């Protein structure tokens, strides 16, 4: 069974902390994505990566950075967490195949206090 | 990426077919139509996708109009477990050297409620 695994289901962090959200996929996919989901705003793309060490900004990259040192792992970093980054964070992966589908993790609900 | 328009909510009786419409009038020739659904507190789940032809799998059928400007997702026998938010997405095929890499851009989706 294919899997995208996010390291935490729930996370509570303090304002100003550096936060790491980890995502691992076991499908040898080239593409990996980080989204955040907020009520009334839907899913918004933060960053995506199409290869090791390669990254592209999504629609809302401000306040975030990413790291992809290995093909299977894509990390989202909040350099200095703020309360407006309280959200559900979703990781996804897909292959380069023309009609590939994306697989999503179960999500990490982050609360910044 | 082309934008999509979906009704914000729909109801369906259990055991009946649920027909979820999607408008994507600005779709380009190389863009696929994808459907995902999200059950509360879970990540989105892939349902089906298509380019021009109608498609069917074990979960649903996808009907795409000839001009490709709209589509309909059909759940043939809806169950209570099909209650979810359904997203219609148009997606450029991923390709090396491009800028989209097959990213998915989600709209607001349709909240489908299946009732007994």
């Amino acid at each position: 069974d294919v899997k995208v695994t996010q390291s935490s289901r729930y996370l509570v962090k303090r304002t100003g902390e550096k936060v790491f959200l980890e995502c691992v996929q076991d499908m040898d996919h080239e593409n990996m994505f980080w989204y955040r989901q907020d009520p009334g705003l839907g899913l918004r793309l933060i960053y995506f990566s199409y290869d090791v060490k390669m990254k592209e900004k999504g629609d809302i990259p401000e306040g975030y950075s990413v790291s992809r040192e290995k093909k299977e792992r894509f990390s989202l970093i909040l350099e200095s967490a703020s309360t407006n980054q309280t959200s559900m964070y979703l990781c996804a992966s897909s292959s380069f195949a023309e009609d590939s589908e994306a697989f999503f993790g179960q999500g990490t609900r982050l609360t910044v206090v | 990426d082309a934008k999509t328009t979906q009704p914000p909510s729909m109801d369906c009786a259990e055991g009946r077919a649920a027909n979820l419409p999607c408008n994507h009038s600005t779709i380009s020739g190389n863009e696929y139509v994808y459907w995902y659904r999200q059950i509360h507190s879970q990540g989105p789940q892939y349902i089906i996708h298509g380019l021009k032809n109608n498609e069917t799998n074990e979960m649903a059928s996808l009907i795409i109009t000839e001009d490709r400007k709209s589509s309909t997702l059909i759940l043939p026998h809806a169950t209570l477990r099909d209650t979810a938010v359904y997203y219609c997405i148009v997606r450029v095929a991923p390709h090396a050297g491009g800028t989209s890499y097959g990213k998915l851009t989600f709209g607001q989706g349709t909240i489908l409620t299946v009732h007994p």
Side-chain angles (χ1 to χ4, degrees):
Chain A
D1 201 16
V2 296
K3 275 227 169 61
V4 176
T5 304
Q6 295 183 228
S7 54
S8 302
R9 191 79 172 93
Y10 298 95
L11 213 51
V12 180
K13 295 292 182 181
R14 295 193 180 279
T15 301
E17 274 193 80
K18 189 169 186 176
V19 181
F20 293 85
L21 302 183
E22 307 286 345
C23 176
V24 177
Q25 50 96 1
D26 64 1
M27 296 162 281
D28 201 36
H29 283 167
E30 294 84 3
N31 299 327
M32 296 188 75
F33 308 87
W34 274 107
Y35 291 84
R36 66 176 282 177
Q37 184 170 29
D38 302 288
L41 297 176
L43 280 87
R44 294 178 291 167
L45 182 64
I46 304 171
Y47 267 98
F48 65 100
S49 168
Y50 51 91
D51 200 353
V52 175
K53 297 191 186 296
M54 306 304 288
K55 62 185 179 185
E56 292 282 342
K57 293 180 180 178
D59 300 317
I60 50 163
E62 296 78 19
Y64 303 94
S65 62
V66 289
S67 172
R68 193 161 179 206
E69 297 296 319
K70 293 185 177 181
K71 190 175 185 181
E72 68 270 19
R73 187 180 296 271
F74 191 36
S75 303
L76 180 69
I77 303 158
L78 287 66
E79 297 288 343
S80 177
S82 64
T83 54
N84 63 12
Q85 292 179 308
T86 291
S87 185
M88 168 71 87
Y89 290 88
L90 290 154
C91 175
S93 73
S94 72
S95 76
F96 257 170
E98 185 178 85
D99 61 346
S100 65
E101 62 188 86
F103 295 86
F104 282 80
Q106 78 278 21
T108 296
R109 185 163 293 283
L110 172 68
T111 302
V112 182
V113 297
Chain B
D1 294 344
K3 294 197 185 301
T4 61
T5 304
Q6 299 176 253
S9 64
M10 293 183 66
D11 288 333
C12 179
E14 188 177 21
R16 304 297 294 269
N19 296 281
L20 290 87
C22 180
N23 183 290
H24 32 80
S25 57
T26 60
I27 194 169
S28 301
N30 65 343
E31 289 182 320
Y32 285 75
V33 179
Y34 280 75
W35 283 84
Y36 281 77
R37 73 179 183 184
Q38 187 175 24
I39 296 170
H40 183 63
S41 298
Q42 296 181 21
Q45 175 192 22
Y46 166 81
I47 301 173
I48 199 168
H49 73 280
L51 183 62
K52 296 179 186 176
N53 301 319
N54 299 336
E55 302 288 344
T56 295
N57 63 20
E58 64 278 4
M59 289 183 68
S61 295
L62 174 61
I63 309 298
I64 302 175
T65 57
E66 196 169 338
D67 63 8
R68 304 211 321 125
K69 293 185 177 182
S70 66
S71 61
T72 301
L73 177 75
I74 301 172
L75 307 178
H77 306 287
T79 71
L80 299 179
R81 287 178 296 178
D82 291 322
T83 293
V85 180
Y86 287 77
Y87 296 98
C88 168
I89 299 159
V90 290
R91 179 190 186 203
V92 177
H95 56 282
T99 56
S100 74
Y101 295 95
K103 67 178 181 178
L104 295 166
T105 301
F106 286 79
Q108 295 300 309
T110 296
I111 301 171
L112 174 68
T113 303
V114 181
H115 49 85

